[in-house]
Amino acid sequence: MPQTRTTDTRPPRAPVGLLLHPTHPHRPADLSGRALPDWYGIHPDHVAHLIARYTRDGDTVLDTDAHPTVTAAAEHLHRYPGLTATDRDCSRGWAEPLDHRSVATAGLVLATLPRLNVDSRDPHAVSQALGAWRELLRPGGFLVVVLTAGPGTGALGHRSTVIAAARAAGLLYHQHIPALLVPLPEIEPRTDTRPAARPRLIAGRHVRAHRDLLVFATITPEAADV
């Protein structure tokens, strides 16, 4: 019997989580008492939840942008924050501590795409960047990539490119987490009898309602069991 090959070119599926926009007014503060800012629109409480979910006590958390909210959340959870970067050609990554401690292999790397030194339209360039960040992870560590592309920039295609590039870099697609940037409506729009208001536009475009977080794991038995 002749063998057949699947023609399904869709990206592999992964469990989907959801971060809802908080309805409470509380906002954590840093040591000086200043309220912590959102991390690319994501509330500090959710940042702490991600770090707690994908690391363990004493792990190193590396952030490509050294965001103050990531640093504060890592320290609050007894993790060691650090900064990660890549060469101009994204062929090599390295980590730098944010204090005098040495940076060990990380339990979690947080990165954003697109980046100035990464052509997000080029799968090879994205794969190089992801591979450089993967080298910083301990066995069983995780890479969380936040897609910051705005409306009208082909976010769906960008997500598929990043997932494919991660597989080429030796990473396992672990989870997709949409993070809502706006509160959910109190009434399901399709059941509301009142006329629906037109969505607010900025520069002729719809306001962005969510960000995509893609979680990748090092391909090890330890990571696969999480």
Side-chain angles (χ1 to χ4, degrees), residues 32-189:
S32 65
R34 292 175 297 185
L36 291 170
D38 286 347
W39 178 57
Y40 296 98
I42 300 171
H43 193 274
D45 286 351
H46 289 327
V47 176
H49 172 78
L50 288 170
I51 293 175
R53 172 66 180 85
Y54 291 111
T55 61
R56 55 198 183 199
D57 192 49
D59 265 347
T60 296
V61 177
L62 299 177
D63 178 19
T64 55
D65 301 314
H67 195 282
T69 296
V70 173
T71 301
E75 292 178 338
H76 176 73
L77 294 167
H78 307 291
R79 275 65 164 170
Y80 300 129
L83 173 66
T84 178
T86 54
D87 285 332
R88 180 178 294 273
D89 62 359
C90 301
S91 60
R92 184 178 68 90
W94 68 92
E96 299 175 358
L98 296 182
D99 53 24
H100 298 295
R101 289 186 291 256
S102 62
V103 175
T105 306
L108 176 65
V109 171
L110 299 167
T112 57
L113 287 173
R115 302 188 69 79
L116 290 177
N117 62 335
V118 180
D119 184 356
S120 295
R121 299 166 299 180
D122 181 358
H124 178 67
V126 176
S127 181
Q128 278 192 312
L130 296 172
W133 294 326
R134 178 182 61 81
E135 293 298 322
L136 301 173
L137 291 169
R138 62 166 170 77
F142 291 90
L143 169 65
V144 175
V145 178
V146 183
L147 305 185
T148 61
T153 56
L156 178 60
H158 186 208
R159 187 169 74 232
S160 299
T161 298
V162 173
I163 293 171
R167 295 182 67 188
L171 289 161
L172 176 69
Y173 182 29
H174 182 76
Q175 192 169 32
H176 174 208
I177 307 176
L180 299 187
L181 306 180
V182 296
L184 290 174
E186 295 182 2
I187 301 175
E188 218 290 334

